[in-house]
Amino acid sequence: MENKSKSIQQVKLKSLGWRPFFNKQVNDSEWGEFTPVRVVAEHRNAVIVHDGFNEHRIKLDHQLTNTLHQRKPTTGDWLLVDLNSEQIWRALNPENMMTRISAGVSTGQKIQEQAIAANIDILFIVTSANNEFSESRLERYLALAKKTAVRPVIVVTKSDLVEDAQSYRKRALAITDAPTVLVNAKEKDSVRELRRWLNIGNTIAVLGSSGVGKSTIVNTLAGTNLQETGIVRTTDNHGRHTTTSRSIHLLKDGPMILDTPGIRELTLAHSKEVLSEMFADIEALFLLCRFSNCTHELEPDCAIRDALAKKVLDKRRFNNYQKLCAEHSFYTEAINGSDKNKYDSKIKKTTRGKQQK
Ligand SMILES: Nc1nc2c(ncn2[C@@H]2O[C@H](COP(=O)(O)OP(=O)(O)OP(=O)(O)O)[C@@H](O)[C@H]2O)c(=O)[nH]1
Ligand SMILES: [Mg+2]
Ligand SMILES: [Zn+2]
C-alpha cells in the first residue's frame, strides 16, 4: 500500500481503537496482503467487520475456524482478513477479553467460558432505580471489570421515575468507588455526563439485566434509533430480552459503544486475586478468628460472627463474598476439566433459579 493511503488507513483504524499493541503484532508481509478489521457484530455463521471505511460481511466456514485455532472471533476482536476473497487470515491477540460462564450451566450442559467482548476500555454497568437494583449483582459486574482491567462506570437508569434517586447513588457508593451516574436514559441532556468516557477510539461495553435501558442509552447517545428497545413488566421490572445479539456502534464523534443482550445471571470464573482485593476487609477479619481454619459458623472467638453481630460487617456482603468464592472454586476446577458431575448439585444451588439478587 502507498504511504499516503496507508497513513489515511492508520487514522481510520485509530478511530476504531487500533493502537500500538495491535500494530506491533502485524509483520511487513502481512501488511501487504491483509487488512486489519474490527469485528462489530456476530451472526451465527458470519461476522460483520469494519475496516475504518466500510463494513464487510465475512462468512465463518469450517476452514476459517481452523485458521483461528478454534477460537471464534468475538465482537471487538481485531482480525487480519483478505477482503477480496473474504477470508480471515488470523485474529490478533486481544488486549482484554470479557468472558462469563455460558448460560447452559444450570441446564446441565458442558461448563465453558463464553466470550462477551474483546478489547473494551470502559464498562457501563447498567442498573435501574427500582427493585432491579442489587448490590450483590453490581459486585459481580465490578468483579468482571476488575478481572479484565476495564474501567467500570455504574449507570443507574430510570431516575426520572422515582423521587429518591439519590438513595441509589448512596447504595452504589457504599460498595464501590467507581463513578456512579443517575440518568433518564431517554433524555439527551440527562445522559450528557456519560460523554466524559466517550473519547475517540474508546470502546464502551454496556452490560446489565434485560430491560434496564442499555439500548435506550445507546440510542440516546447516538442521537438516533440504532437499536430496538423493549417493554418491561411493571410487576418486577424485568425486560423481555429485546436485544438478542452483540453489536458495536460507531458514534459520530469517535467512540464506539457495544450493546449487549440482557444478562439473566452473570456467572464468572472469578479470579481469587480479584475477590481478595474487592473483599479485603472481610479477609482481614479472617486473621482475627481464633482458629485459622474457622468456618465462621460455630467456632468460638470468630471475628466474622462478631463483626456481623455488631453490624460492622454487612451480612449481604459477607454472603455474596462466600457465594462468589464458591463459584470461583467450582468453575475454575470445572473449566480445567475435572469431573463436571461432581460439581453439578452444588453449582445448581448457587446459580439456578431466579434472577440474581
Ligand atoms: N422512564 C424511563 N424509561 C426508560 C429508561 N431507560 C429505559 N427505559 C425504558 O425501558 C424499556 C427497556 O429499555 P431497553 O433499552 O430496551 O432495555 P435493554 O436493557 O436494552 O433490554 P434488553 O435488550 O432486553 O436487554 C424501554 O421501554 C425504555 O424506553 C429511563 O431512564 N427512564
Ligand atoms: Mg437492548
Ligand atoms: Zn471465623
Side-chain angles (χ1 to χ4, degrees), residues 124 126-129 153-162 165 169 180-195 197 212-213 216-217 220-221:
F124 283 177
V126 186
T127 179
S128 41
V153 176
I154 295 177
V155 184
V156 185
T157 59
K158 311 195 187 185
S159 64
D160 53 306
L161 301 178
V162 287
R169 187 199 298 279
T180 299
V181 183
L182 304 177
V183 299
N184 169 356
K186 302 204 280 193
E187 288 285 330
K188 200 169 169 228
D189 284 345
S190 176
V191 300
R192 185 157 290 145
E193 206 183 325
L194 297 177
R195 296 203 167 270
W197 292 282
V212 291
T216 307
I217 292 173
T220 307
L221 287 171

Side-chain angles (χ1 to χ4, degrees), residues 85 99 184 208 303 326:
S85 64
T99 60
N184 169 356

